[in-house]
Amino acid sequence: MAEAERIIGTPDTPDAAGAGQERPGQDAAPGGRSGSEGAPAGSGTDRTPADAGADGSEAAGRPRGRRRIAVLFAVAAFAYALDLVSKLIVVAKLEHHPPIEIVGDWLKFEAIRNAGAAFGFGEAFTVIFTVIAAAVIVVIARLARKLYSLPWAIALGLLLGGALGNLTDRIFRAPGVFEGAVVDFIAPKHFAVFNLADSAIVCGGILIVLLSFKGLDPDGTVHKD
């Protein structure tokens, strides 16, 4: 029986035939046959990373984008609330009263109505500064849709909160709508009087400059010039 299988049955078995076909193909063309027979697997392997990368980046990008936008608005809300509460306290407790010395003559709290821009500049252009503040808010809101960077979210949040704080004064305080005077109260020695909204705007601007020097874009990409 063993002798009959060796002579008759063995050459016709699929395993033997497959093995016989496979070795010549591998020996003759190591890359050619694997490319033809393995084309579906190879092409599938080539497509998978691209597809997975695109799908993965979108799947990971959407929640990450929402998270950065949430940080932006959380920082903006905190900066805006802090500025609003501080101004309410200053108007109620400090306006029409003597300044409060914090660090001798070097730092005082003194209530001042400012019709100009940050730090008291340009008092003759109140309406223009109001329009600029509103434009800044619109630009930040549009940029938030492409925001994937946490540092940029913090920086833009500070800008947004500060702009909203001063814009609220421009709209709702005397002498009129879009011409209201901003409440300033932080008075360092030999420096202009400012408020927390001005501080948030300056800090956000400095952070944006640093991020730009480092080559970090709002979408999270890093470029080198």
Side-chain angles (χ1 to χ4, degrees), residues 14-195:
D15 295 336
Q21 293 175 358
E22 194 173 3
R23 284 194 192 90
Q26 292 176 350
D27 296 336
R33 194 164 190 83
S34 62
S36 61
E37 292 182 356
S43 60
T45 304
D46 294 338
R47 288 194 302 266
T48 302
D51 297 339
D55 298 338
S57 62
E58 291 178 4
R62 286 169 188 162
R64 184 177 65 175
R66 288 195 295 268
R67 186 162 58 249
R68 299 304 183 258
I69 293 174
V71 170
L72 185 155
F73 287 112
V75 172
F78 178 77
Y80 176 70
L82 200 60
D83 177 70
L84 184 62
V85 170
S86 66
K87 289 174 180 176
L88 292 175
I89 295 174
V90 166
V91 171
K93 303 294 184 181
L94 190 57
E95 200 168 32
H96 308 301
H97 289 79
I100 299 176
E101 294 185 353
I102 305 302
V103 185
D105 292 336
W106 291 97
L107 180 62
K108 299 184 293 184
F109 285 168
E110 181 179 5
I112 293 178
R113 297 295 182 112
N114 171 25
F119 308 107
F121 298 113
E123 294 187 1
F125 303 98
T126 305
V127 176
I128 296 177
F129 293 134
T130 303
V131 174
I132 293 175
V136 169
I137 293 171
V138 173
V139 170
I140 293 175
R142 291 177 61 86
L143 186 60
R145 296 180 299 176
K146 301 179 180 179
L147 186 62
Y148 290 88
S149 168
L150 181 60
W152 270 95
I154 295 173
L156 294 177
L158 290 172
L159 283 179
L160 180 59
L164 284 172
N166 284 338
L167 184 61
T168 301
D169 285 356
R170 302 289 187 196
I171 295 175
F172 296 105
R173 295 193 185 277
V177 178
F178 300 121
E179 297 180 352
V182 174
V183 176
D184 290 335
F185 62 94
I186 304 174
K189 188 176 182 179
H190 305 307
F191 196 74
V193 184
F194 59 96
N195 55 41

